[in-house]
Amino acid sequence: MEIELKLQLDAKAREKLLHHHLFHGGAKPREETLADTYFDTPRLRLRRHDVGLRVREVGKRWIQTMKNGAGANGGLHQRGEWESPVDRPTPDLARLRELVDEKQIRRDALGADSLEQRLAPVFSTHIKRTVWDLHLKKGVHVECALDVGTLEHGTEKAPISELELELKAGDPAQLFDLALDLLKDVPFRIANLSKADRGYALLAPQPRVAVKAKPLTLERAMPLDQAFQQIVSNCLAHIQDNADNVAKVRDVESLHQMRVGMRRLRSALGMFKDVLRLPEALQLELDWLADELGSARDWDVLAETTLPSMARVLPEPARIAGVARAAADKAKQHHASAAAAAGSVRYTRLMLGITRWLEAKGWRDDARATQAAAGVLDQPVRKFARQILKRDERRLRRRARALSTATPEQRHRVRIAAKKTRYAAEFFSSLFPQRRVRPYVKALTGLQDELGLLNDITVATRLLTEISESEPALALEVGFAEGMLAARIPDEGKLATKRWKKLAKVPLPC
């Protein structure tokens, strides 16, 4: 099993790395020139099974390596790895089949007839590698490899500039400690994509797109804190899958998905707060990121959805043209702030810190983790899931009792309860019959959407007031827009009540 952190650096960061005190005073680094060729079938059979297969030229020798595992969390890659020498610059599948000790991988990835005849080069890498062997406290041995070079497929090329911290011996948490120590002086970003991931992307370049949450599967007998790890890892992946888009391009949907990932994460942490808690320092940093994303998203909704929908029904859209321009300017400013946050060292430190805490089960060392709490963490997750869903259902029913006459503040509380209940139902979906989960989640989503539209009106009114205060000349336009928003509340309120009545008839999935 290969365990490594991958970190992206630019040229200035590489220079700082080379002068960092950790890499001086020990053994002299070794330098290598690596030429790798990756193989697959014309229909990318290996890729479909999350397998990467390469042959590396090392001097006058060749070494084949197969890795299994997709994606990463917080830059941490944990993959099966099998390696052997070969006598030619192409894979030897017979030898690989002898090495691979996982039957499913042998069957699915390597078991096809005539696979060897169908393999062909798909892309290559050309890298200059500088390697340091660090022997740290508590018997920790880390190989630090700085890779600089290119990925190539035909005429397509992509630069490589990354630091790999591979654990050779010791506790994986020490990889994060090392990375956090380096981050004090060397600005870098987390690399959640492997070279194979990036190489395959060269085969069929696609525009940057927003990424939704990936499906989550829990086992019924899984201990509670293992389920917690998987839930939070899923949320972190959702956040990080969209972070590059938010940092590098102004994509409204990517920012929305990154914010949804943050909301899911905070809901997950709240769900478990009676048995474990995120350290306060990390919680404060999560709050900072949530505020940055939330402000940008609020202005996006006003500028991209609320005001354009209003303009479409006006005989004279110019009546709110000034407000629309001011809202667009504000949205652009807040997007720039969110982009700076997602591309910052502070964000990298947060993701490394929370992933370290998660991987090391930091809550087990917390003074609050009493013997009773530890006992709860060892219980099967399905029992806990039932308790949470029943608790959330009671809270939602209590808050929604008078939804038809609720104030904006009361509707907001109902929306938050519906959102938390929906996220819990989705987190625990795999533990219960899908014929019961699907209609429940669908009904919750319908209620949440309607309450979300009402909340958009409340938020839009607050943001319009900000515009009026900063640009008094737009006061008349703002007043007109606020009047149109207020006129929508009764109809939206009726739809929300209708959605609630529909949900109230759907039984809990547990």
Side-chain angles (χ1 to χ4, degrees):
M1 175 68 72
E2 177 188 55
I3 301 175
E4 66 180 10
L5 269 175
K6 287 182 177 288
L7 311 166
Q8 294 177 339
L9 307 90
D10 61 19
K12 290 183 179 179
R14 290 201 305 269
E15 192 65 26
K16 289 185 176 182
L17 179 79
L18 293 172
H19 290 90
H20 196 277
H21 67 88
L22 281 172
F23 302 116
H24 293 277
K28 186 178 180 180
R30 64 182 185 273
E31 294 190 351
E32 304 171 350
T33 300
L34 306 179
D36 294 347
T37 302
Y38 286 76
F39 290 81
D40 209 333
T41 68
R43 302 182 71 175
L44 305 183
R45 176 187 175 86
L46 299 182
R47 180 62 171 175
R48 293 200 308 273
H49 292 290
D50 295 328
V51 165
L53 176 58
R54 75 177 186 226
V55 174
R56 170 171 292 173
E57 183 179 353
V58 183
K60 295 181 179 180
R61 299 181 299 116
W62 294 281
I63 297 174
Q64 67 176 354
T65 303
M66 191 175 89
K67 297 183 182 183
N68 171 250
N73 189 36
L76 185 68
H77 297 248
Q78 302 185 66
R79 299 169 293 189
E81 181 180 28
W82 301 270
E83 190 171 273
S84 72
V86 288
D87 57 9
R88 58 188 184 277
T90 56
D92 182 345
L93 295 191
R95 179 63 180 137
L96 275 178
R97 292 185 182 109
E98 292 175 0
L99 289 172
V100 175
D101 52 0
E102 297 185 28
K103 293 181 180 179
Q104 184 174 351
I105 297 174
R106 282 205 308 269
R107 182 187 68 240
D108 294 347
L110 302 176
D113 295 335
S114 70
L115 176 61
E116 197 150 8
Q117 287 71 38
R118 290 184 286 129
L119 289 178
V122 285
F123 57 89
S124 61
T125 65
H126 301 275
I127 294 169
K128 179 182 177 182
R129 169 169 284 184
T130 307
V131 182
W132 298 264
D133 282 303
L134 299 185
H135 294 271
L136 309 175
K137 295 178 181 179
K138 299 180 181 179
V140 175
H141 175 199
V142 178
E143 181 183 272
C144 304
L146 175 63
D147 288 349
V148 181
T150 57
L151 275 160
E152 300 180 8
H153 168 66
T155 59
E156 296 290 328
K157 292 186 179 183
I160 294 171
S161 177
E162 65 184 32
L163 180 68
E164 295 181 356
L165 306 179
E166 182 175 355
L167 186 71
K168 296 297 186 179
D171 183 354
Q174 298 296 319
L175 283 179
F176 290 95
D177 292 339
L178 175 59
L180 287 165
D181 192 12
L182 287 171
L183 189 60
K184 295 174 184 176
D185 303 302
V186 183
F188 54 73
R189 288 181 56 78
I190 291 168
N192 283 310
L193 297 179
S194 67
K195 293 183 183 70
D197 293 328
R198 297 183 61 204
Y200 276 104
L202 286 179
L203 304 186
Q206 300 291 328
R208 297 175 182 271
V209 294
V211 181
K212 293 186 177 181
K214 294 180 175 66
L216 176 64
T217 301
L218 305 176
E219 302 295 333
R220 293 184 178 187
M222 181 181 288
L224 185 56
D225 66 351
Q226 186 180 344
F228 174 76
Q229 283 180 302
Q230 293 204 15
I231 291 169
V232 173
S233 291
N234 182 270
C235 297
L236 289 174
H238 191 187
I239 293 167
Q240 292 177 75
D241 284 346
N242 291 284
D244 274 354
N245 263 15
V246 172
K248 295 176 182 178
V249 296
R250 186 183 170 186
D251 182 68
V252 171
E253 185 58 24
S254 292
L255 186 137
H256 172 52
Q257 286 300 324
M258 189 173 178
R259 188 194 188 195
V260 171
M262 278 294 302
R263 286 180 161 184
R264 294 174 69 241
L265 175 58
R266 296 173 91 183
S267 288
L269 292 170
M271 198 166 63
F272 285 84
K273 67 180 180 181
D274 290 338
V275 291
L276 59 88
R277 289 179 184 271
L278 189 68
E280 184 178 0
L282 288 174
Q283 184 62 61
L284 290 173
E285 291 301 278
L286 274 184
D287 293 343
W288 156 74
L289 183 60
D291 287 344
E292 292 286 353
L293 299 175
S295 295
R297 177 60 183 169
D298 288 345
W299 283 103
D300 272 348
V301 172
L302 178 64
E304 302 282 343
T305 303
T306 305
L307 291 175
S309 66
M310 195 181 293
R312 283 193 292 271
V313 300
L314 284 174
E316 299 178 47
R319 292 196 65 177
I320 59 169
V323 168
R325 183 264 311 155
D329 288 344
K330 286 280 191 179
K332 185 177 180 180
Q333 293 168 18
H334 282 272
H335 253 277
S337 181
S344 68
V345 167
R346 187 176 180 180
Y347 169 79
T348 299
R349 185 181 297 112
L350 169 60
M351 290 296 111
L352 288 172
I354 195 170
T355 307
R356 184 209 185 280
W357 177 78
L358 193 66
E359 291 291 327
K361 295 188 177 181
W363 53 88
R364 292 280 185 173
D365 301 326
D366 196 314
R368 285 185 296 266
T370 62
Q371 188 172 357
V376 172
L377 290 170
D378 290 331
Q379 73 176 5
V381 64
R382 196 165 188 259
K383 178 182 178 182
F384 179 82
R386 281 201 182 98
Q387 294 169 348
I388 291 296
L389 290 173
K390 289 177 180 178
R391 183 201 68 184
D392 287 358
E393 172 84 356
R394 289 193 299 270
R395 179 179 58 201
L396 179 55
R397 286 185 178 275
R398 185 173 64 252
R399 292 185 182 181
R401 194 175 296 133
L403 183 58
S404 60
T405 58
T407 64
E409 292 77 15
Q410 290 169 330
R411 285 197 301 266
H412 176 70
R413 284 170 54 80
V414 177
R415 184 179 67 86
I416 295 301
K419 177 184 68 176
K420 290 181 176 180
T421 305
R422 174 191 167 187
Y423 289 155
E426 289 176 339
F427 290 145
F428 298 130
S429 169
S430 59
L431 303 175
F432 304 103
Q434 291 304 297
R435 68 180 184 278
R436 294 173 64 88
V437 172
R438 290 193 189 99
Y440 187 66
V441 170
K442 182 179 180 181
L444 276 168
T445 303
L447 174 62
Q448 186 183 345
D449 287 348
E450 287 300 334
L451 291 171
L453 291 173
L454 282 164
N455 186 65
D456 289 346
I457 292 173
T458 301
V459 172
T461 302
R462 172 174 59 81
L463 299 183
L464 287 169
T465 299
E466 285 189 34
I467 290 174
S468 181
E469 290 173 351
S470 61
E471 299 191 43
L474 295 176
L476 286 176
E477 284 192 29
V478 167
F480 180 75
E482 288 175 337
M484 289 192 69
L485 289 173
R488 287 171 48 186
I489 292 176
D491 289 341
E492 298 292 355
K494 289 177 182 177
L495 285 172
T497 301
K498 183 178 178 180
R499 293 284 191 182
W500 162 243
K501 289 179 178 178
K502 183 176 181 180
L503 170 61
K505 297 176 182 177
V506 180
L508 268 171
C510 58

